[in-house]
Every structure is written in structure tokens, then in C-alpha cells.
Amino acid sequence: MTDIAKIFQSPGLESRNENPMSEPCIMVIFGASGDLAKRLLVPALYNLACDGLLPDNFVVLGTATRPLTTEVFRENMSGEEQGIRKFHTRKIFDEAIWEKLVSRFHYIAGSFDDAEAFSKLRQKVAELDAQYRTGGNVLFYFATSPSFFGTLCDNLHHAGFKEGAGWKRIIVEKPFGTDTESARRLNQVVLTHWDESQIYRVDHYLGKETVQNLLAFRFSNGIFEPLWNKNFIDNIQFNVCEEVDVGKRGGYYDGAGVLRDMMQNHMFQMLAYLCMEPPALYEADAIRNEKSKLLKSVRLYTPEEVPQNFVRGQYGPSLNMNGTVEPGYRETAGVNPQSNTETFVAGKLHIDNWRWEGVPIYLRSGKSLWKRGTEIVVEFKKAPAALFRGTQVDKLASNRLVFHIQPSQGIELQFHAKVPGPVLDLQNVDMRFSYGNAFNASRYTGYEVMIYSCTKGDGTLFSRSDLVEAAWKIAQPVLDYWKTAPAPEFPNYVRGTWGPKAASEFIKRDGRRWHEVVTPDVLERLPLFSGANALLLNAIIMALRPETAVAGEVIINKGDPGKEMYLICRGRVEVIDGNGQAMEQLKDGDFFGEISLLISTARTATVRAMMQSDLFVLEKSDFSRILRDYPHFAEAVMKTALDRYNIAVSKEQLLA
Ligand code: BG6
């Protein structure tokens, strides 16, 4: 049994006489032959069954227009290629548990707008209720296109599903509306026949353990909450970077864009958790009231304010090292070849309340970026540096608390420590909690807790109508502005990069920068660091600053004083001599700018970006410290200086 199951079966629950099992019910899945059911819902049910949280009278009734029999439906769900054996998330697949679960799967074909089909459905539900004794409880799961939500609600009502014993609840998938008005209309339609307490609007980010942990972290630890305000926090950043492109979803995506697809829902939900006031109780409405209050205090921009606070991007094709071209967004099936839909967005919000006044909240998300990673960085105000005047310490970094939401899962606190030795020097270090090291739980789809809590009537993790509308209201001025204002020259970023240069310029105007979360595996891809020990990698990670150069941009100028060296994360640059001749090209994994740091001379050449290039910058003080502390790094840099520029640097020079 996993830890989650143990927690659910903890003495606390038992002593409160609460049954840890999901409640018995018939889960009617509309759109049961679609992707969501096989990829996520059924694997989630299987996980609940493995954790002993699904009673024997939990039944699935799939329905969709496809004329399948129950037997074929079961076979499809069991399949090697497209069924549970492919999509389950456990280390070991338990045949017996699956067989028992799938034997309670049933199917009935029917069209979503056909009254006749609904009376047959009602009859089937009644039969299953009698057979399995589910107490009349029915959970309707709308795994369909949102255009059916209203019709389904009406037809369920007219077919008399609300009558009789037991509870009736509806889980609605996203997207819930496409703007404020459509969300309001959809709420009206859904709530015409059903009560708010029966509607469970899913945002699958709230099913993620690391997102749920935001509340646990904030409100169960005494040490952070006193610092959680404008007096101590300088800014907060939400990064949701995706490596995947739009794929086969061009048709849907071109009408949505990343602001609707990721920010209005998932990112605003995380924002609410991170910044809301403490609720009085750990109870659905107490929590949702606070989330709603928080979202309602986000400043709504005027049209003039939008371009100062939001930038958008769209990915173009990329040329790979092997000469192949990966298509850009406009070349995707289902996408208008002149599309101005954004696949990247970076924005700044302000929360106009007592706690957060003046603390900028930066948000950034996009497709086809350099890595998959969702992180929240809380950057604290810097300590006064006065004490260190006259020492080797020339600047202090800020302390940062990083929530690693996915794929790495954990929390990290970054702060300064004294470098061991007789001379006072500081280095950024971190304290980490990683889920993998602390818990022995299986990987979940995120839908387990959604289905489980819905059967328990617990709406904590679901969105309420006021919350959905408040989130749309924040996005609305941006959507309106973008609809009418001329789009930037799209595409404006190359796939596989950090996004458009405009995004880094936008935050730089505030004197800040995005915190790219670098992991040791990224650094190890650079030949300079392959085989480097964990200490060196960590020291470098803590010191790197990300910077983007666009094609043609001069990164360093011959003759200028050298203050930093550069590592190319992705891109291509050319080294130009005094006569304007290109001497050399450098690409992913190479580095440059180290010579003038090594021998304290002016820049010996000009370096210019040949394409959009993402760079990690290592400042002189960090560079020198790392050279001193890590002889392996110093030797590699000396060897490159000799090979590349025929400059022999002595150890003494290096460490001077
Ligand atoms: C969905 C979006 O809601 O979330 C997708 O429609 C996106 O475009 C996905 O890829 C991301 O979810 P996750 O759990 O992979 O971060």
C-alpha cells in the first residue's frame, strides 16, 4: 500500500469514523471512447483500485456515439497498445486488480443530443444500481468537447436523473468558456437545472501533488508565513515551460493560444494558492472563498497598460544540428498559415491588496521551449550588503524559495554560505526537499484525487463559478487588446529556445531577470562539464545568469573590458577578429569570453549571435572563485585557451 493510501487510512480518519474508500457509485463517462478516458481517467481508477480506495460497488458506465459493446469497450481499455497496459503509471502492473476493476466496466452507445438515448441511459443506470447496490449515487464525467456541456446538463435533467435516492454530481472538463462572457453564459446554462454544489469543474493542475502541497507548505509551517508579504518578498515568478509543440491539436489550439490554454486556468490557480490569505478551515468553501478573493484583487489592466505588462510569442521552425528542419507553429496541421495565435506569453500582474501591494508577479509559459519544467520562484528582498564592504564579496544575491512542480518535484531554498577557507567569500547554496527521496508513493495521473474527492462531495480541488469568472476577468483585457492591436512579427522565437527576446527585455526593464531553473543534467550536456563532480555542477548552477541574444546581436565587443564568460545553452555565434573576419563558429555546449577573464585583458575578439542564442552568463567573481575551488574546471579552461587561441595561461595567472 502506498503512502497516500496509508494517509487516507490514518488513525485520524478512522477515529473520525470516516470510510477512506471512495463512495460507491456509477461513474458515467460521456466521451468514454476518447483520449482522456483511456490515458487518464481509467489509469486513475486503476491507481485508486491498487491503493485499496475503490469499493467493489464502484461501477463505470462508458457512453459515446461509437457503437461499441461492453465487451469491446473492456477490450479497448485493457489493450497493450492503447489501453491500461500502456497508460498505467505503476511500476508493476497487477493483472488481478485490473481484471476485477474492468469487470465492472459497461458501455452504452448514444448521441449526446438525443432524448431517447438519455432515457435508455437512465434505464441502464437503474439496472446497474440494482445490480451493484450503488445507493443511487451517480457521478457524470463530461470528457467531451465543451460545446456539449450545456446540452448534457439539460438532457440529464429532462431524463429525470436528478430524482431518486443518492447523490448526483457532474465533473466538467476544461476549457470552461473561452472568455468572460462565454464562461458566464456556460455557468448560467449549467446552473439552470443543477446546483453549484453538484458541479465539479476540473483543473488538472490542482490534482498534482506538488500543487496541493503549496497549501500544506504555506499553512502547516510556522516559519514562512510571517515572511509571506510585501515586506520580505521582492517578486514571484511562475514558469510553466513545455518542450512539446502543438502536435495534433492545431485545430483547437489556434482558437485558444497559451493565455487561454495554460495561464487563465492552471497558472492563475497556482497563483491563488500561493498568494491567498489563510482560510479559517481546511474546507472546500473556506479555501475557495480565499482563492476567489485573491483573484478578484488582481489589477485589471486598461488597454494602454496591456503592452507594458504582457508580451507574446509564436515559435518558428528550427534547423537542427543534423540539418533537418522542425516545422514552426504556422506549419502545423489545423493552424492558419498566417495565424497570430500566441504559443508563448510572459506577463506581469499586480495584486492590489494589503499583503502584496507593489510585489510584481511574473508569469511565463510557452510551447516548444528548451525544456519541460514548471517552477514557482519566490525571490526575497536582499540583505543589506554594507557589512561586506571591503571584503572579497562584491555583491549579495537574493534568497529564493523554488517550488519544483514538475518534472522534478520538490522545494529548494537558496541562500549564501561562507566558502571554507581563511578568506571571507560567499557562495550561493541550497537546501532541497525532493519528493522522490522523502516519499515512497507511486506516480499518479492527478485525476485520482479528483474522482476520489468528487465521490466524497469534497469540492476543494475544483473550481467554482465565481473563481472561473474572476480568472477570465484578469485575462480579458489582454485578450481584447491582442485581438485588435497589430501582432508582433511572428514567428518571433525559434523552437527549442527560451522564448522571444522580448520576454527577457520585458523583465529586465524592472531590473530583474527570469530564473531559469538549471539542473545538473542540462550542464552535463556541455562538454566542459561532462564528468564534472556534483559539487562543481552545483556551484555553477547557483552562479549562472540566463541571457538571450537575437540573430545579429553583438554579445561582446573587441576591446571592451571583460566582466563575464558565456556558455551557449542553445544557438550559434561567430567569433570575429579585428578585421571583421569570422574566425570561428561556436554552437550548443561551447563557451566564450573566458580569455579576458583568465588573463585580465580587454576582449580579444567580437562575438556575434548568428541565430537566436540562449546563453548562460558566469560573472567574473563567480568564475574566479570556481577556478580557485575546482582545479578540474581550471584545467579544462586552460586547455581550451591553448587549443583555441594558442594562449598559454599559467596556474599563477589563473589564480591571481
Ligand atoms: C493542458 C493544455 O490543459 O495542460 C495542454 O491544454 C498542456 O496544452 C497541458 O500541454 C499541460 O499539462 P501538464 O500536466 O503536462 O503540465
Side-chain angles (χ1 to χ4, degrees):
M1 187 177 287
T2 67
D3 286 342
I4 282 231
K6 281 186 218 140
I7 291 164
F8 279 131
Q9 297 188 351
S10 67
L13 279 173
E14 277 154 18
S15 63
R16 292 194 335 243
N17 280 334
E18 283 181 29
N19 182 354
M21 289 266 191
S22 311
E23 289 203 10
C25 72
I26 301 171
M27 177 171 166
V28 179
I29 306 179
F30 289 96
S33 57
D35 245 25
L36 183 78
K38 63 177 180 249
R39 281 176 193 271
L40 294 162
L41 300 183
V42 170
L45 291 174
Y46 170 69
N47 277 337
L48 287 172
C50 290
D51 288 342
L53 294 172
L54 221 50
D56 288 346
N57 45 0
F58 188 105
V59 184
V60 171
L61 174 58
T63 177
T65 39
R66 283 181 66 188
L68 306 179
T69 59
T70 286
E71 288 64 38
V72 173
F73 179 59
R74 289 179 185 168
E75 270 167 36
N76 290 351
M77 289 300 168
S78 307
E80 293 279 347
E81 295 290 311
Q82 288 296 314
I84 191 72
R85 285 175 178 77
K86 171 158 180 179
F87 296 119
H88 78 88
T89 61
R90 323 268 314 174
K91 287 190 188 108
I92 297 166
F93 183 70
D94 190 322
E95 202 69 49
I97 292 181
W98 171 249
E99 284 309 323
K100 198 167 159 207
L101 175 65
V102 78
S103 71
R104 303 196 302 272
F105 280 24
H106 299 262
Y107 186 84
I108 181 168
S111 160
F112 301 153
D113 48 13
D114 173 11
E116 180 60 28
F118 276 79
S119 64
K120 283 195 189 137
L121 183 70
R122 175 114 201 262
Q123 215 178 318
K124 185 75 188 167
V125 166
E127 274 169 31
L128 293 174
D129 183 39
Q131 182 184 346
Y132 291 97
R133 297 174 195 278
T134 51
N137 299 339
V138 191
L139 190 172
F140 300 102
Y141 201 113
F142 292 0
T144 69
S145 145
S147 56
F148 290 114
F149 294 169
T151 319
L152 287 170
C153 283
D154 283 352
N155 285 340
L156 287 174
H157 163 73
H158 293 309
F161 269 106
K162 275 164 64 192
E163 291 147 24
W167 50 255
K168 311 287 179 289
R169 295 176 189 141
I170 298 178
I171 299 189
V172 184
E173 263 296 326
K174 67 150 256 202
F176 201 86
T178 53
D179 57 11
T180 314
E181 200 32 52
S182 59
R184 198 177 288 145
R185 273 200 312 271
L186 189 53
N187 274 329
Q188 272 168 4
V189 174
V190 166
L191 297 175
T192 305
H193 301 300
W194 298 83
D195 188 72
E196 178 68 49
S197 65
Q198 294 176 292
I199 305 298
Y200 291 71
R201 296 172 193 78
V202 170
D203 183 311
H204 79 279
Y205 264 59
L206 297 183
K208 293 183 191 287
E209 282 298 337
T210 43
V211 174
Q212 293 173 50
N213 188 48
L214 293 174
L215 278 198
F217 177 86
R218 278 193 61 197
F219 301 126
S220 66
N221 296 301
I223 55 174
F224 294 102
E225 202 49 29
L227 308 179
W228 219 248
N229 57 54
K230 63 183 178 207
N231 298 326
F232 297 95
I233 292 179
D234 178 80
N235 74 92
I236 301 177
Q237 298 184 11
F238 291 79
N239 288 308
V240 181
C241 297
E242 294 194 277
E243 209 175 334
V244 291
D245 58 15
V246 171
K248 294 187 184 142
R249 299 166 73 220
Y252 149 76
Y253 199 87
D254 212 30
V258 65
L259 185 60
R260 288 187 173 94
D261 187 53
M262 295 297 286
M263 200 173 268
Q264 180 276 340
N265 39 48
H266 310 322
M267 296 182 79
F268 289 177
Q269 291 287 341
M270 292 194 286
L271 167 73
Y273 266 2
L274 199 85
C275 298
M276 71 188 210
E277 295 301 314
L281 286 172
Y282 199 94
E283 182 260 304
D285 272 329
I287 293 175
R288 296 193 291 184
N289 289 344
E290 293 306 336
K291 285 171 76 178
S292 176
K293 252 165 62 189
L294 187 282
L295 291 180
K296 284 179 187 156
S297 26
V298 172
R299 189 180 306 165
L300 304 182
Y301 288 132
T302 61
E304 297 71 45
E305 288 169 330
V306 171
Q308 296 153 24
N309 290 290
F310 271 81
V311 298
R312 52 184 158 155
Q314 188 191 75
Y315 65 86
S318 68
L319 179 64
N320 289 342
M321 290 301 165
N322 59 12
T324 56
V325 177
E326 299 262 8
Y329 176 69
R330 289 178 175 180
E331 286 84 56
T332 307
V335 169
N336 173 352
Q338 268 97 45
S339 173
N340 279 333
T341 298
E342 81 289 354
T343 60
F344 176 96
V345 63
K348 175 167 68 169
L349 295 177
H350 298 276
I351 302 172
D352 287 331
N353 68 12
W354 191 271
R355 188 189 281 262
W356 295 115
E357 194 212 23
V359 179
I361 312 286
Y362 298 100
L363 302 110
R364 185 173 58 148
S365 180
K367 296 255 183 230
S368 280
L369 297 176
W370 69 301
K371 63 155 195 184
R372 171 171 184 245
T374 299
E375 298 104 15
I376 304 171
V377 181
V378 178
E379 181 161 15
F380 290 90
K381 291 191 168 162
K382 285 184 189 169
L387 170 69
F388 297 98
R389 238 180 272 136
T391 70
Q392 202 154 294
V393 178
D394 61 350
K395 62 178 178 7
L396 293 181
S398 45
N399 301 127
R400 290 195 282 264
L401 185 64
V402 184
F403 294 90
H404 296 270
I405 304 291
Q406 64 180 26
S408 68
Q409 301 187 313
I411 297 176
E412 174 190 3
L413 182 63
Q414 299 179 354
F415 52 93
H416 287 112
K418 180 184 167 296
V419 180
V423 180
L424 176 70
D425 202 356
L426 301 178
Q427 183 186 309
N428 250 4
V429 292
D430 62 352
M431 274 191 324
R432 276 168 188 265
F433 143 66
S434 135
Y435 272 77
N437 293 341
F439 301 114
N440 185 24
S442 292
R443 194 161 62 82
Y444 288 92
T445 66
Y447 280 79
E448 295 77 3
V449 67
M450 295 292 177
I451 298 168
Y452 179 87
S453 1
C454 181
T455 75
K456 294 277 185 191
D458 179 355
T460 312
L461 299 178
F462 296 87
S463 223
R464 232 174 26 191
S465 51
D466 56 330
L467 269 163
V468 173
E469 288 178 26
W472 275 119
K473 276 191 189 153
I474 303 169
Q476 195 64 50
V478 185
L479 293 171
D480 290 344
Y481 180 82
W482 285 353
K483 201 153 72 184
T484 51
E489 279 236 339
F490 279 165
N492 60 354
Y493 72 98
V494 177
R495 345 169 19 126
T497 62
W498 294 343
K501 167 103 174 161
S504 47
E505 280 167 350
F506 152 81
I507 191 167
K508 225 187 228 170
R509 284 202 297 271
D510 291 353
R512 301 191 176 89
R513 62 181 173 88
W514 296 109
H515 295 293
E516 298 295 348
V517 173
V518 186
T519 46
D521 57 303
V522 172
L523 273 194
E524 272 175 332
R525 279 187 234 151
L526 311 186
L528 178 62
F529 301 119
S530 68
N533 68 28
L535 282 180
L536 169 60
L537 292 179
N538 201 41
I540 299 210
I541 284 172
M542 288 290 146
L544 291 177
R545 168 166 64 80
E547 205 165 287
T548 301
V550 290
E553 183 174 335
V554 171
I555 303 165
I556 58 179
N557 254 314
K558 185 169 182 338
D560 282 354
K563 294 200 228 78
E564 60 256 311
M565 75 165 279
Y566 297 79
L567 299 156
I568 306 176
C569 178
R570 191 177 195 291
R572 192 178 289 248
V573 303
E574 56 188 349
V575 184
I576 300 164
D577 68 13
N579 305 319
Q581 292 302 311
M583 305 188 309
E584 196 182 2
Q585 286 186 9
L586 305 174
K587 56 181 186 344
D588 300 14
D590 286 334
F591 57 95
F592 59 91
E594 75 289 7
I595 296 297
S596 38
L597 301 191
L598 283 173
I599 52 178
S600 301
T601 59
R603 296 293 192 195
T604 52
T606 292
V607 177
R608 189 167 58 198
M610 299 173 72
M611 57 184 281
Q612 181 180 344
S613 301
D614 297 326
L615 310 165
F616 284 123
V617 185
L618 195 57
E619 291 188 14
K620 186 171 170 42
S621 52
D622 292 313
F623 176 74
S624 311
R625 176 173 51 74
I626 292 169
L627 283 183
R628 267 198 319 273
D629 294 347
Y630 298 95
H632 168 83
F633 178 67
E635 274 157 30
V637 171
M638 279 157 63
K639 181 168 179 321
T640 311
L642 191 63
D643 294 351
R644 199 189 279 171
Y645 307 104
N646 208 12
I647 297 179
V649 185
S650 69
K651 263 222 163 91
E652 294 67 43
Q653 258 177 317
L654 203 63
L655 303 179

Coordinates of all heavy atoms in Angstrom, one line a residue, residues 34 43 77 96 99 119 145 163 167 194 225 240 243 277 315 398 400 410 442 455 467 484 510 540 573 588 592 629:
G34 N -13.0 8.3 -26.0 CA -11.9 9.3 -26.3 C -10.6 9.1 -25.6 O -10.5 8.2 -24.8
P43 N -6.6 4.9 -16.0 CA -5.4 4.7 -15.2 C -5.6 5.3 -13.8 O -5.1 4.7 -12.8 CB -4.3 5.5 -15.9 CG -4.7 5.4 -17.4 CD -6.2 5.5 -17.3
M77 N -10.1 -0.9 -23.4 CA -9.5 -0.4 -22.2 C -8.3 -1.2 -21.6 O -7.4 -0.8 -20.9 CB -10.5 -0.2 -21.1 CG -11.5 0.9 -21.4 SD -10.6 2.5 -21.6 CE -11.8 3.5 -22.3
A96 N -4.6 -9.0 -11.5 CA -5.8 -9.4 -10.8 C -6.7 -8.2 -10.5 O -7.9 -8.2 -10.6 CB -5.4 -10.1 -9.5
E99 N -8.4 -6.9 -13.7 CA -9.5 -7.8 -14.1 C -10.7 -7.6 -13.3 O -11.8 -7.5 -13.8 CB -9.0 -9.3 -14.0 CG -8.1 -9.7 -15.1 CD -8.6 -9.4 -16.5 OE1 -9.8 -9.4 -16.8 OE2 -7.8 -9.0 -17.4
S119 N -33.1 8.4 -22.2 CA -34.0 7.5 -21.4 C -33.4 6.1 -21.3 O -33.5 5.4 -20.3 CB -35.4 7.6 -21.9 OG -35.5 7.1 -23.1
S145 N -16.2 17.6 -25.8 CA -15.9 18.9 -26.2 C -16.9 19.8 -25.3 O -18.0 19.5 -25.1 CB -16.2 19.1 -27.6 OG -16.8 20.3 -27.9
E163 N -33.7 12.9 -9.9 CA -34.7 12.3 -9.0 C -34.1 11.1 -8.3 O -33.2 10.5 -8.8 CB -36.0 12.0 -9.7 CG -36.8 13.2 -10.2 CD -37.5 13.0 -11.5 OE1 -37.8 11.8 -11.8 OE2 -37.7 14.0 -12.2
W167 N -26.7 10.6 -4.3 CA -26.3 11.9 -4.9 C -26.0 11.9 -6.4 O -25.8 10.8 -6.9 CB -25.0 12.4 -4.1 CG -23.9 11.5 -4.0 CD1 -23.5 10.8 -2.8 CD2 -22.9 11.1 -5.0 NE1 -22.4 10.0 -3.0 CE2 -22.0 10.2 -4.3 CE3 -22.7 11.4 -6.3 CZ2 -21.0 9.6 -5.0 CZ3 -21.7 10.8 -7.0 CH2 -20.8 9.9 -6.3
W194 N -29.0 22.5 -12.3 CA -28.2 21.9 -11.3 C -27.7 22.9 -10.3 O -27.5 24.1 -10.7 CB -27.0 21.2 -12.0 CG -27.4 20.1 -13.0 CD1 -27.8 20.3 -14.2 CD2 -27.6 18.7 -12.7 NE1 -28.2 19.1 -14.8 CE2 -28.1 18.1 -13.8 CE3 -27.3 17.9 -11.5 CZ2 -28.4 16.7 -13.9 CZ3 -27.6 16.6 -11.6 CH2 -28.1 16.0 -12.8
E225 N 5.2 31.7 6.8 CA 4.1 32.6 6.7 C 4.4 34.1 7.1 O 3.9 35.0 6.5 CB 2.8 32.0 7.4 CG 1.5 32.6 6.9 CD 1.3 32.6 5.4 OE1 1.9 31.7 4.7 OE2 0.5 33.5 4.9
V240 N 5.9 28.1 -16.5 CA 5.3 26.8 -17.0 C 5.9 26.6 -18.4 O 5.3 27.1 -19.4 CB 3.8 26.7 -16.9 CG1 3.3 25.3 -17.4 CG2 3.3 27.0 -15.5
E243 N 8.2 21.5 -23.5 CA 9.1 21.2 -24.6 C 8.3 20.8 -25.8 O 8.7 21.0 -27.0 CB 10.0 20.1 -24.2 CG 11.3 20.1 -24.8 CD 12.3 19.0 -24.3 OE1 12.1 18.6 -23.1 OE2 13.1 18.6 -25.0
E277 N -5.0 34.5 1.3 CA -5.0 34.6 2.7 C -5.2 33.2 3.3 O -5.9 32.4 2.7 CB -6.0 35.6 3.2 CG -5.8 37.0 2.8 CD -4.4 37.6 3.3 OE1 -4.1 37.4 4.4 OE2 -3.7 38.2 2.4
Y315 N 6.3 30.3 -32.0 CA 7.6 29.6 -32.4 C 7.6 29.5 -33.9 O 6.6 29.2 -34.5 CB 7.8 28.3 -31.7 CG 6.8 27.2 -31.9 CD1 6.9 26.3 -33.0 CD2 5.8 27.0 -31.0 CE1 6.0 25.3 -33.2 CE2 4.9 25.9 -31.2 CZ 5.0 25.1 -32.3 OH 4.1 24.1 -32.5
S398 N 19.9 37.4 -3.9 CA 18.7 37.3 -3.0 C 18.5 35.9 -2.7 O 18.9 34.9 -3.4 CB 17.5 37.9 -3.7 OG 17.5 37.4 -5.0
R400 N 16.1 32.7 -2.4 CA 15.0 32.3 -3.2 C 14.4 31.0 -2.7 O 15.2 30.1 -2.3 CB 15.4 32.1 -4.7 CG 15.8 33.4 -5.4 CD 15.8 33.2 -6.9 NE 17.1 32.6 -7.3 CZ 18.2 33.3 -7.7 NH1 18.2 34.6 -7.7 NH2 19.3 32.6 -8.0
G410 N 9.8 19.0 -5.8 CA 10.4 19.3 -4.5 C 10.4 20.8 -4.2 O 9.7 21.6 -4.9
S442 N 3.7 6.0 -5.5 CA 3.7 5.8 -7.0 C 3.4 7.1 -7.7 O 2.9 8.0 -7.1 CB 2.6 4.8 -7.4 OG 2.9 3.5 -6.9
T455 N -16.5 11.8 -5.3 CA -17.4 10.8 -4.7 C -17.6 11.2 -3.2 O -18.6 10.8 -2.7 CB -16.8 9.4 -4.8 OG1 -15.8 9.2 -3.8 CG2 -16.3 9.0 -6.1
L467 N -14.9 31.7 -9.2 CA -13.5 31.6 -9.5 C -13.1 31.6 -10.9 O -12.2 32.3 -11.4 CB -13.0 30.3 -8.9 CG -12.5 30.3 -7.4 CD1 -12.5 28.9 -6.9 CD2 -11.2 30.9 -7.4
T484 N -7.2 43.3 -31.2 CA -7.2 44.5 -32.1 C -5.8 45.0 -32.4 O -5.6 45.5 -33.5 CB -8.1 45.6 -31.4 OG1 -7.5 45.8 -30.1 CG2 -9.5 45.2 -31.4
D510 N 12.5 46.0 -15.4 CA 12.2 46.2 -14.0 C 13.5 45.9 -13.2 O 13.4 45.8 -11.9 CB 11.2 45.2 -13.5 CG 9.8 45.5 -14.1 OD1 9.6 46.5 -14.7 OD2 8.9 44.6 -13.9
I540 N 28.2 25.9 -10.1 CA 28.0 26.6 -11.3 C 26.5 26.9 -11.5 O 26.1 28.1 -11.8 CB 28.5 25.8 -12.5 CG1 30.0 25.6 -12.3 CG2 28.2 26.4 -13.9 CD1 30.9 25.5 -13.5
V573 N 27.0 31.2 -32.5 CA 27.6 32.5 -32.5 C 28.9 32.5 -33.4 O 29.4 31.4 -33.6 CB 28.0 33.0 -31.1 CG1 26.8 33.0 -30.2 CG2 29.1 32.2 -30.5
D588 N 25.9 25.0 -29.5 CA 25.5 24.5 -28.3 C 26.6 23.8 -27.5 O 27.3 22.9 -28.0 CB 24.4 23.4 -28.5 CG 23.2 23.9 -29.2 OD1 23.3 25.0 -29.8 OD2 22.2 23.2 -29.2
F592 N 32.6 31.0 -24.5 CA 33.5 32.0 -25.0 C 33.5 33.1 -23.9 O 32.7 33.2 -23.0 CB 33.0 32.5 -26.3 CG 31.6 33.1 -26.3 CD1 31.4 34.5 -26.1 CD2 30.5 32.3 -26.6 CE1 30.1 35.0 -26.1 CE2 29.2 32.8 -26.6 CZ 29.0 34.2 -26.3
D629 N 38.4 27.0 -6.7 CA 37.9 25.9 -5.9 C 37.9 24.6 -6.7 O 37.9 23.5 -6.1 CB 36.5 26.2 -5.4 CG 36.5 27.3 -4.5 OD1 37.6 27.7 -4.0 OD2 35.4 27.8 -4.2

